[in-house]
Amino acid sequence: MLVDSHCHLDFPDLAEDLDEVVARARQAGVGHMLTICTHVTRFERVLAVARRFEGVDCTVGIHPHEAGKEPETSAETLMALADDPKVIGFGETGLDFFYEHSPRDAQERSFRQHIRAARESGLPVIVHTRDADTDTVRILGEEQAEGAFPGLIHCFSSSAQLAERAVELGMMVSISGIVTFKKAEALRETVRALPLDHLLVETDAPYLAPVPKRGKRNEPAFTAYTAATVAEVKGVSEAELARATTDNFFRLFTKARRPAAVAAAE
């Protein structure tokens, strides 16, 4: 079984044929999906999708692009929304200095509130970082000094130094379809060096479809292509990669319910 640890099933690109999208994921061996919240004001829509399907959970959070537009949201509010059994983490949150759709100070304040929610609840924080490695490392380090919290860097495409620091802080690193791109050799080198027990796989659907689907709408079924490339890079079988990344997901997201068939097989 594979887990798509980061997708956006509530986005309009997937909504028109969502039943078929989920069915294709099952057929491709993707037994669990995590659909990610980007606007706290749209959280109910995200939660409704998670409630609709067995084996789909969700998060609550504010994407850094939206940090200056969404209501400023406290850790207490995030934790209250996470009371639902289908809500298993916070985010995505973090820093994006490439587009800077929101002011940097608003991004940082929001990021820290999500981290505080993770620390106080024990649920992981899902971190988005782009062109912001230095500040991401600074904030993660400062917040870890206040007390440990679980989390992951999603859709990883940053420096090897950020990956190493994330592992030092006990975080997971999630790999998207970018790893299959022809010009992503530096990312493949980073993946090769990362410990297998710190890796997850994801689609970030409907974006970033992997080779050989690049240019098309991405969907959770395509997790299999990313996983195959990661397995090749790591020098392990696809079955071993699937077992490891699935184990890593359920070890990190302790609130998620592992499918009965997989749990029984172990």
Side-chain angles (χ1 to χ4, degrees), residues 1 25 36 46 52 55 82 105 117-118 124 146 158 166 188 193 207 227 231 241-242 254 261 264:
M1 183 185 102
I36 302 295
V46 178
R52 182 172 157 188
D105 60 340
E146 296 295 320
S158 298
R188 287 188 286 273
Y207 310 117
L241 192 283
T254 55

Side-chain angles (χ1 to χ4, degrees), residues 7 9-10 12 28 44 58 62 65 87 93 128 131 203 208 214 217 224 234 258 265:
C7 55
L9 299 181
D10 70 304
E44 290 299 329
C58 71
I62 300 172
H65 288 342
V87 184
T93 182
H128 169 114
D131 279 16
T203 57
L208 298 174
R214 192 172 184 187
R217 179 192 72 172
K234 297 296 293 177
R258 198 175 184 109

Side-chain angles (χ1 to χ4, degrees), residues 1-2 22-31 220-224:
M1 183 185 102
L2 288 166
V22 172
R24 284 192 291 271
R26 308 285 190 223
Q27 292 164 4
V30 180
F222 300 166
T223 309

Side-chain angles (χ1 to χ4, degrees), residues 234-251:
K234 297 296 293 177
V236 300
S237 69
E238 292 181 31
E240 183 178 350
L241 192 283
R243 282 193 299 272
T245 54
T246 295
D247 286 346
N248 294 345
F249 178 87
F250 287 104
R251 189 170 75 251

Side-chain angles (χ1 to χ4, degrees), residues 153-174:
I153 309 290
H154 111 90
C155 195
F156 189 86
S157 60
S158 298
S159 66
Q161 291 75 20
L162 177 59
E164 291 166 5
R165 183 60 177 146
V167 170
E168 289 173 1
L169 293 171
M171 302 179 75
M172 298 281 182
V173 178
S174 185

